[in-house]
Amino acid sequence: MAYELEPKLDGKVALVTGGSRGIGAAIARKLADLGAFTFICGRNAAELKTTAATISESGGRCEGIAGDVSDLAQVEGLARTIRERAGSIDVLVNNAGVGGFGVPLHQLDPAKWDKILNTNLRGVFYTVRAFAPGMIEKRAGDIINISSLAGKNPLPNGAAYAASKWGLNGLSYAIAEELRQYNIRVTVVCPGSVNTELSPHEGKDPRKMLQAEDVAHVVEMLVTQQPRSFVSEVLLRPTQKP
């Protein structure tokens, strides 16, 4: 007799920021496939609606809520909406990100610096501030911050982006120590170049590059590991250099 296994995240609630496309959409699909009621947020309401509908049509539970993680009031509103509809979340994936490449730092427009840092770093502060208290009350949860190998290595002509990711790595390690006493696991995932629209990939073979689904697979491994353990950091590279 064959038995159907219960989805590993059945009854759980997840939020993926920057979830309308690319890496975020792939992660949202994976979490929904695992049984989580998955919320996605982003600035483009139309894209959110399309992605959420696609996931729902495949049998998952997904809802899109428009919002900008660099705006504290919008993040707090997002948290209130999710609490009203599903309760406190169990999985937070901070994926929303803004790229910035092509010019040396001394030529970078300060407004561009603000946009990159406010989304990639300040936005994570805002979401953790808004959602960690609910996890603390439950004494359980997973926070996964999508960083980059640019947060481990020099990135000429992308200094602001690199600074945001180096900062995100340090933030992740610090809050991991703050929250582990509540059984909340915090992990930072640092992929190499992924075949998405975020950054230029001139001269690279997209068939050899990481795909969004590869990052989603890592997230799956993280949220389904044994409760007594957690992975602090994942460095993800393609098997062959593209």
Side-chain angles (χ1 to χ4, degrees), residues 16 18-33 38 40 51 55 95 194 196 211-217 219-220:
V16 182
S20 65
R21 58 181 177 169
I23 293 172
I27 292 171
R29 283 193 297 272
K30 179 62 69 176
L31 294 174
D33 286 346
T38 303
I40 54 176
T51 300
I55 293 172
N95 169 74
V194 182
T196 68
Q211 305 299 314
E213 291 73 19
D214 299 324
V215 184
H217 178 62
V219 172
E220 176 185 11

PDB file of all heavy atoms in Angstrom, residues 16 18-33 38 40 51 55 95 194 196 211-217 219-220:
ATOM      1  N   VAL A  16       7.900  35.717   1.362  1.00  0.00           N
ATOM      2  CA  VAL A  16       9.069  35.916   0.502  1.00  0.00           C
ATOM      3  C   VAL A  16       9.014  37.336  -0.030  1.00  0.00           C
ATOM      4  O   VAL A  16       8.084  37.704  -0.751  1.00  0.00           O
ATOM      5  CB  VAL A  16       9.097  34.921  -0.674  1.00  0.00           C
ATOM      6  CG1 VAL A  16      10.356  35.132  -1.514  1.00  0.00           C
ATOM      7  CG2 VAL A  16       9.016  33.482  -0.180  1.00  0.00           C
ATOM      8  N   GLY A  18      10.308  40.397  -2.458  1.00  0.00           N
ATOM      9  CA  GLY A  18      10.796  40.331  -3.835  1.00  0.00           C
ATOM     10  C   GLY A  18      10.355  39.046  -4.486  1.00  0.00           C
ATOM     11  O   GLY A  18      11.114  38.421  -5.232  1.00  0.00           O
ATOM     12  N   GLY A  19       9.109  38.652  -4.226  1.00  0.00           N
ATOM     13  CA  GLY A  19       8.647  37.322  -4.626  1.00  0.00           C
ATOM     14  C   GLY A  19       7.921  37.238  -5.941  1.00  0.00           C
ATOM     15  O   GLY A  19       7.397  36.174  -6.284  1.00  0.00           O
ATOM     16  N   SER A  20       7.884  38.320  -6.705  1.00  0.00           N
ATOM     17  CA  SER A  20       7.078  38.292  -7.926  1.00  0.00           C
ATOM     18  C   SER A  20       7.774  37.637  -9.108  1.00  0.00           C
ATOM     19  O   SER A  20       7.119  37.193 -10.053  1.00  0.00           O
ATOM     20  CB  SER A  20       6.660  39.723  -8.308  1.00  0.00           C
ATOM     21  OG  SER A  20       7.796  40.506  -8.643  1.00  0.00           O
ATOM     22  N   ARG A  21       9.102  37.572  -9.086  1.00  0.00           N
ATOM     23  CA  ARG A  21       9.818  37.012 -10.230  1.00  0.00           C
ATOM     24  C   ARG A  21      11.192  36.513  -9.785  1.00  0.00           C
ATOM     25  O   ARG A  21      11.597  36.687  -8.642  1.00  0.00           O
ATOM     26  CB  ARG A  21       9.978  38.055 -11.331  1.00  0.00           C
ATOM     27  CG  ARG A  21      10.705  39.313 -10.883  1.00  0.00           C
ATOM     28  CD  ARG A  21      10.813  40.330 -12.003  1.00  0.00           C
ATOM     29  NE  ARG A  21      11.445  41.560 -11.549  1.00  0.00           N
ATOM     30  CZ  ARG A  21      11.845  42.525 -12.357  1.00  0.00           C
ATOM     31  NH1 ARG A  21      11.699  42.404 -13.662  1.00  0.00           N
ATOM     32  NH2 ARG A  21      12.403  43.615 -11.875  1.00  0.00           N
ATOM     33  N   GLY A  22      11.904  35.894 -10.714  1.00  0.00           N
ATOM     34  CA  GLY A  22      13.279  35.467 -10.462  1.00  0.00           C
ATOM     35  C   GLY A  22      13.422  34.531  -9.281  1.00  0.00           C
ATOM     36  O   GLY A  22      12.626  33.601  -9.089  1.00  0.00           O
ATOM     37  N   ILE A  23      14.443  34.776  -8.480  1.00  0.00           N
ATOM     38  CA  ILE A  23      14.739  33.922  -7.332  1.00  0.00           C
ATOM     39  C   ILE A  23      13.569  33.894  -6.357  1.00  0.00           C
ATOM     40  O   ILE A  23      13.188  32.840  -5.843  1.00  0.00           O
ATOM     41  CB  ILE A  23      16.023  34.400  -6.628  1.00  0.00           C
ATOM     42  CG1 ILE A  23      17.241  34.179  -7.530  1.00  0.00           C
ATOM     43  CG2 ILE A  23      16.222  33.675  -5.303  1.00  0.00           C
ATOM     44  CD1 ILE A  23      18.522  34.799  -6.994  1.00  0.00           C
ATOM     45  N   GLY A  24      12.979  35.049  -6.103  1.00  0.00           N
ATOM     46  CA  GLY A  24      11.880  35.105  -5.140  1.00  0.00           C
ATOM     47  C   GLY A  24      10.690  34.272  -5.554  1.00  0.00           C
ATOM     48  O   GLY A  24      10.089  33.565  -4.736  1.00  0.00           O
ATOM     49  N   ALA A  25      10.323  34.336  -6.834  1.00  0.00           N
ATOM     50  CA  ALA A  25       9.197  33.545  -7.320  1.00  0.00           C
ATOM     51  C   ALA A  25       9.495  32.051  -7.228  1.00  0.00           C
ATOM     52  O   ALA A  25       8.617  31.254  -6.872  1.00  0.00           O
ATOM     53  CB  ALA A  25       8.867  33.937  -8.756  1.00  0.00           C
ATOM     54  N   ALA A  26      10.736  31.666  -7.536  1.00  0.00           N
ATOM     55  CA  ALA A  26      11.109  30.248  -7.442  1.00  0.00           C
ATOM     56  C   ALA A  26      11.044  29.760  -6.003  1.00  0.00           C
ATOM     57  O   ALA A  26      10.582  28.642  -5.727  1.00  0.00           O
ATOM     58  CB  ALA A  26      12.514  30.044  -8.009  1.00  0.00           C
ATOM     59  N   ILE A  27      11.487  30.585  -5.067  1.00  0.00           N
ATOM     60  CA  ILE A  27      11.417  30.216  -3.648  1.00  0.00           C
ATOM     61  C   ILE A  27       9.966  30.110  -3.200  1.00  0.00           C
ATOM     62  O   ILE A  27       9.589  29.174  -2.478  1.00  0.00           O
ATOM     63  CB  ILE A  27      12.190  31.234  -2.792  1.00  0.00           C
ATOM     64  CG1 ILE A  27      13.691  31.144  -3.079  1.00  0.00           C
ATOM     65  CG2 ILE A  27      11.925  31.006  -1.300  1.00  0.00           C
ATOM     66  CD1 ILE A  27      14.503  32.251  -2.439  1.00  0.00           C
ATOM     67  N   ALA A  28       9.139  31.055  -3.620  1.00  0.00           N
ATOM     68  CA  ALA A  28       7.725  31.020  -3.245  1.00  0.00           C
ATOM     69  C   ALA A  28       7.053  29.752  -3.763  1.00  0.00           C
ATOM     70  O   ALA A  28       6.268  29.113  -3.046  1.00  0.00           O
ATOM     71  CB  ALA A  28       7.015  32.261  -3.779  1.00  0.00           C
ATOM     72  N   ARG A  29       7.345  29.381  -4.993  1.00  0.00           N
ATOM     73  CA  ARG A  29       6.774  28.148  -5.557  1.00  0.00           C
ATOM     74  C   ARG A  29       7.196  26.944  -4.731  1.00  0.00           C
ATOM     75  O   ARG A  29       6.383  26.053  -4.436  1.00  0.00           O
ATOM     76  CB  ARG A  29       7.223  27.961  -7.011  1.00  0.00           C
ATOM     77  CG  ARG A  29       6.503  28.844  -8.011  1.00  0.00           C
ATOM     78  CD  ARG A  29       6.751  28.387  -9.437  1.00  0.00           C
ATOM     79  NE  ARG A  29       8.155  28.483  -9.811  1.00  0.00           N
ATOM     80  CZ  ARG A  29       8.706  29.580 -10.334  1.00  0.00           C
ATOM     81  NH1 ARG A  29       7.972  30.657 -10.539  1.00  0.00           N
ATOM     82  NH2 ARG A  29       9.977  29.591 -10.671  1.00  0.00           N
ATOM     83  N   LYS A  30       8.459  26.913  -4.349  1.00  0.00           N
ATOM     84  CA  LYS A  30       8.968  25.779  -3.573  1.00  0.00           C
ATOM     85  C   LYS A  30       8.284  25.694  -2.209  1.00  0.00           C
ATOM     86  O   LYS A  30       7.872  24.610  -1.777  1.00  0.00           O
ATOM     87  CB  LYS A  30      10.480  25.899  -3.412  1.00  0.00           C
ATOM     88  CG  LYS A  30      11.124  24.786  -2.593  1.00  0.00           C
ATOM     89  CD  LYS A  30      10.945  23.424  -3.239  1.00  0.00           C
ATOM     90  CE  LYS A  30      11.748  23.314  -4.526  1.00  0.00           C
ATOM     91  NZ  LYS A  30      11.633  21.937  -5.103  1.00  0.00           N
ATOM     92  N   LEU A  31       8.181  26.817  -1.518  1.00  0.00           N
ATOM     93  CA  LEU A  31       7.558  26.811  -0.192  1.00  0.00           C
ATOM     94  C   LEU A  31       6.089  26.420  -0.280  1.00  0.00           C
ATOM     95  O   LEU A  31       5.577  25.679   0.572  1.00  0.00           O
ATOM     96  CB  LEU A  31       7.710  28.183   0.459  1.00  0.00           C
ATOM     97  CG  LEU A  31       9.147  28.594   0.810  1.00  0.00           C
ATOM     98  CD1 LEU A  31       9.175  30.033   1.310  1.00  0.00           C
ATOM     99  CD2 LEU A  31       9.755  27.664   1.852  1.00  0.00           C
ATOM    100  N   ALA A  32       5.401  26.907  -1.318  1.00  0.00           N
ATOM    101  CA  ALA A  32       4.002  26.526  -1.503  1.00  0.00           C
ATOM    102  C   ALA A  32       3.884  25.032  -1.816  1.00  0.00           C
ATOM    103  O   ALA A  32       2.976  24.355  -1.317  1.00  0.00           O
ATOM    104  CB  ALA A  32       3.373  27.356  -2.618  1.00  0.00           C
ATOM    105  N   ASP A  33       4.796  24.517  -2.620  1.00  0.00           N
ATOM    106  CA  ASP A  33       4.800  23.074  -2.912  1.00  0.00           C
ATOM    107  C   ASP A  33       4.998  22.258  -1.641  1.00  0.00           C
ATOM    108  O   ASP A  33       4.482  21.144  -1.521  1.00  0.00           O
ATOM    109  CB  ASP A  33       5.919  22.733  -3.905  1.00  0.00           C
ATOM    110  CG  ASP A  33       5.616  23.186  -5.328  1.00  0.00           C
ATOM    111  OD1 ASP A  33       4.443  23.521  -5.612  1.00  0.00           O
ATOM    112  OD2 ASP A  33       6.552  23.221  -6.151  1.00  0.00           O
ATOM    113  N   THR A  38       1.903  30.742   1.451  1.00  0.00           N
ATOM    114  CA  THR A  38       3.028  31.618   1.112  1.00  0.00           C
ATOM    115  C   THR A  38       2.553  32.980   0.626  1.00  0.00           C
ATOM    116  O   THR A  38       1.781  33.082  -0.333  1.00  0.00           O
ATOM    117  CB  THR A  38       3.903  30.955   0.035  1.00  0.00           C
ATOM    118  OG1 THR A  38       4.348  29.677   0.509  1.00  0.00           O
ATOM    119  CG2 THR A  38       5.110  31.820  -0.279  1.00  0.00           C
ATOM    120  N   ILE A  40       3.776  36.658  -0.914  1.00  0.00           N
ATOM    121  CA  ILE A  40       4.873  37.295  -1.629  1.00  0.00           C
ATOM    122  C   ILE A  40       4.610  38.796  -1.654  1.00  0.00           C
ATOM    123  O   ILE A  40       3.465  39.239  -1.727  1.00  0.00           O
ATOM    124  CB  ILE A  40       5.037  36.757  -3.069  1.00  0.00           C
ATOM    125  CG1 ILE A  40       3.724  36.854  -3.868  1.00  0.00           C
ATOM    126  CG2 ILE A  40       5.541  35.315  -3.039  1.00  0.00           C
ATOM    127  CD1 ILE A  40       3.842  36.418  -5.324  1.00  0.00           C
ATOM    128  N   THR A  51       2.169  35.937 -10.476  1.00  0.00           N
ATOM    129  CA  THR A  51       2.933  34.868  -9.830  1.00  0.00           C
ATOM    130  C   THR A  51       2.086  34.112  -8.828  1.00  0.00           C
ATOM    131  O   THR A  51       2.104  32.872  -8.780  1.00  0.00           O
ATOM    132  CB  THR A  51       4.180  35.445  -9.143  1.00  0.00           C
ATOM    133  OG1 THR A  51       5.008  36.078 -10.122  1.00  0.00           O
ATOM    134  CG2 THR A  51       4.981  34.354  -8.447  1.00  0.00           C
ATOM    135  N   ILE A  55       1.067  30.040  -8.961  1.00  0.00           N
ATOM    136  CA  ILE A  55       1.319  29.097  -7.865  1.00  0.00           C
ATOM    137  C   ILE A  55       0.018  28.468  -7.384  1.00  0.00           C
ATOM    138  O   ILE A  55      -0.055  27.253  -7.140  1.00  0.00           O
ATOM    139  CB  ILE A  55       2.044  29.817  -6.709  1.00  0.00           C
ATOM    140  CG1 ILE A  55       3.462  30.221  -7.151  1.00  0.00           C
ATOM    141  CG2 ILE A  55       2.101  28.935  -5.466  1.00  0.00           C
ATOM    142  CD1 ILE A  55       4.188  31.100  -6.158  1.00  0.00           C
ATOM    143  N   ASN A  95      14.429  38.338   0.272  1.00  0.00           N
ATOM    144  CA  ASN A  95      15.021  38.197  -1.060  1.00  0.00           C
ATOM    145  C   ASN A  95      15.021  39.501  -1.839  1.00  0.00           C
ATOM    146  O   ASN A  95      15.799  39.647  -2.791  1.00  0.00           O
ATOM    147  CB  ASN A  95      14.246  37.126  -1.840  1.00  0.00           C
ATOM    148  CG  ASN A  95      14.619  37.102  -3.306  1.00  0.00           C
ATOM    149  OD1 ASN A  95      15.702  36.631  -3.675  1.00  0.00           O
ATOM    150  ND2 ASN A  95      13.737  37.626  -4.161  1.00  0.00           N
ATOM    151  N   VAL A 194      23.354  34.367 -10.826  1.00  0.00           N
ATOM    152  CA  VAL A 194      22.154  33.588 -11.136  1.00  0.00           C
ATOM    153  C   VAL A 194      21.553  34.141 -12.418  1.00  0.00           C
ATOM    154  O   VAL A 194      21.557  35.350 -12.656  1.00  0.00           O
ATOM    155  CB  VAL A 194      21.131  33.661  -9.983  1.00  0.00           C
ATOM    156  CG1 VAL A 194      19.912  32.798 -10.294  1.00  0.00           C
ATOM    157  CG2 VAL A 194      21.768  33.220  -8.666  1.00  0.00           C
ATOM    158  N   THR A 196      19.196  35.619 -13.888  1.00  0.00           N
ATOM    159  CA  THR A 196      18.011  36.461 -13.733  1.00  0.00           C
ATOM    160  C   THR A 196      18.319  37.832 -14.325  1.00  0.00           C
ATOM    161  O   THR A 196      19.409  38.068 -14.847  1.00  0.00           O
ATOM    162  CB  THR A 196      17.625  36.627 -12.252  1.00  0.00           C
ATOM    163  OG1 THR A 196      18.618  37.401 -11.589  1.00  0.00           O
ATOM    164  CG2 THR A 196      17.474  35.268 -11.559  1.00  0.00           C
ATOM    165  N   GLN A 211      20.578  28.730 -11.658  1.00  0.00           N
ATOM    166  CA  GLN A 211      19.209  29.096 -11.986  1.00  0.00           C
ATOM    167  C   GLN A 211      18.456  29.418 -10.692  1.00  0.00           C
ATOM    168  O   GLN A 211      18.849  28.997  -9.598  1.00  0.00           O
ATOM    169  CB  GLN A 211      18.509  27.955 -12.731  1.00  0.00           C
ATOM    170  CG  GLN A 211      19.248  27.485 -13.982  1.00  0.00           C
ATOM    171  CD  GLN A 211      19.400  28.576 -15.035  1.00  0.00           C
ATOM    172  OE1 GLN A 211      18.451  29.295 -15.342  1.00  0.00           O
ATOM    173  NE2 GLN A 211      20.603  28.695 -15.610  1.00  0.00           N
ATOM    174  N   ALA A 212      17.371  30.158 -10.832  1.00  0.00           N
ATOM    175  CA  ALA A 212      16.595  30.531  -9.646  1.00  0.00           C
ATOM    176  C   ALA A 212      16.168  29.298  -8.848  1.00  0.00           C
ATOM    177  O   ALA A 212      16.143  29.318  -7.610  1.00  0.00           O
ATOM    178  CB  ALA A 212      15.374  31.346 -10.070  1.00  0.00           C
ATOM    179  N   GLU A 213      15.862  28.213  -9.544  1.00  0.00           N
ATOM    180  CA  GLU A 213      15.418  26.997  -8.869  1.00  0.00           C
ATOM    181  C   GLU A 213      16.519  26.393  -8.000  1.00  0.00           C
ATOM    182  O   GLU A 213      16.233  25.681  -7.035  1.00  0.00           O
ATOM    183  CB  GLU A 213      14.953  25.968  -9.902  1.00  0.00           C
ATOM    184  CG  GLU A 213      13.664  26.340 -10.635  1.00  0.00           C
ATOM    185  CD  GLU A 213      13.842  27.458 -11.655  1.00  0.00           C
ATOM    186  OE1 GLU A 213      14.998  27.719 -12.070  1.00  0.00           O
ATOM    187  OE2 GLU A 213      12.821  28.067 -12.025  1.00  0.00           O
ATOM    188  N   ASP A 214      17.789  26.661  -8.330  1.00  0.00           N
ATOM    189  CA  ASP A 214      18.887  26.147  -7.508  1.00  0.00           C
ATOM    190  C   ASP A 214      18.890  26.820  -6.139  1.00  0.00           C
ATOM    191  O   ASP A 214      19.151  26.178  -5.117  1.00  0.00           O
ATOM    192  CB  ASP A 214      20.228  26.390  -8.210  1.00  0.00           C
ATOM    193  CG  ASP A 214      20.321  25.689  -9.553  1.00  0.00           C
ATOM    194  OD1 ASP A 214      19.779  24.573  -9.673  1.00  0.00           O
ATOM    195  OD2 ASP A 214      20.916  26.254 -10.483  1.00  0.00           O
ATOM    196  N   VAL A 215      18.599  28.107  -6.116  1.00  0.00           N
ATOM    197  CA  VAL A 215      18.529  28.819  -4.842  1.00  0.00           C
ATOM    198  C   VAL A 215      17.306  28.349  -4.058  1.00  0.00           C
ATOM    199  O   VAL A 215      17.370  28.160  -2.836  1.00  0.00           O
ATOM    200  CB  VAL A 215      18.481  30.343  -5.073  1.00  0.00           C
ATOM    201  CG1 VAL A 215      18.501  31.086  -3.733  1.00  0.00           C
ATOM    202  CG2 VAL A 215      19.645  30.797  -5.947  1.00  0.00           C
ATOM    203  N   ALA A 216      16.193  28.126  -4.752  1.00  0.00           N
ATOM    204  CA  ALA A 216      14.986  27.627  -4.085  1.00  0.00           C
ATOM    205  C   ALA A 216      15.228  26.266  -3.452  1.00  0.00           C
ATOM    206  O   ALA A 216      14.716  25.976  -2.355  1.00  0.00           O
ATOM    207  CB  ALA A 216      13.836  27.553  -5.090  1.00  0.00           C
ATOM    208  N   HIS A 217      16.014  25.431  -4.110  1.00  0.00           N
ATOM    209  CA  HIS A 217      16.326  24.111  -3.562  1.00  0.00           C
ATOM    210  C   HIS A 217      17.112  24.234  -2.257  1.00  0.00           C
ATOM    211  O   HIS A 217      16.876  23.487  -1.299  1.00  0.00           O
ATOM    212  CB  HIS A 217      17.128  23.296  -4.587  1.00  0.00           C
ATOM    213  CG  HIS A 217      17.537  21.948  -4.098  1.00  0.00           C
ATOM    214  ND1 HIS A 217      16.634  20.974  -3.751  1.00  0.00           N
ATOM    215  CD2 HIS A 217      18.768  21.412  -3.883  1.00  0.00           C
ATOM    216  CE1 HIS A 217      17.284  19.892  -3.346  1.00  0.00           C
ATOM    217  NE2 HIS A 217      18.574  20.133  -3.412  1.00  0.00           N
ATOM    218  N   VAL A 219      16.894  26.730  -0.162  1.00  0.00           N
ATOM    219  CA  VAL A 219      15.921  27.162   0.845  1.00  0.00           C
ATOM    220  C   VAL A 219      15.118  25.968   1.348  1.00  0.00           C
ATOM    221  O   VAL A 219      14.856  25.843   2.550  1.00  0.00           O
ATOM    222  CB  VAL A 219      14.999  28.256   0.275  1.00  0.00           C
ATOM    223  CG1 VAL A 219      13.859  28.566   1.248  1.00  0.00           C
ATOM    224  CG2 VAL A 219      15.802  29.524  -0.017  1.00  0.00           C
ATOM    225  N   GLU A 220      14.724  25.097   0.440  1.00  0.00           N
ATOM    226  CA  GLU A 220      14.007  23.887   0.854  1.00  0.00           C
ATOM    227  C   GLU A 220      14.830  23.079   1.861  1.00  0.00           C
ATOM    228  O   GLU A 220      14.305  22.625   2.887  1.00  0.00           O
ATOM    229  CB  GLU A 220      13.676  23.011  -0.358  1.00  0.00           C
ATOM    230  CG  GLU A 220      13.009  21.694   0.017  1.00  0.00           C
ATOM    231  CD  GLU A 220      12.784  20.777  -1.178  1.00  0.00           C
ATOM    232  OE1 GLU A 220      13.323  21.052  -2.260  1.00  0.00           O
ATOM    233  OE2 GLU A 220      12.069  19.766  -1.006  1.00  0.00           O
TER     234      GLU A 220
END
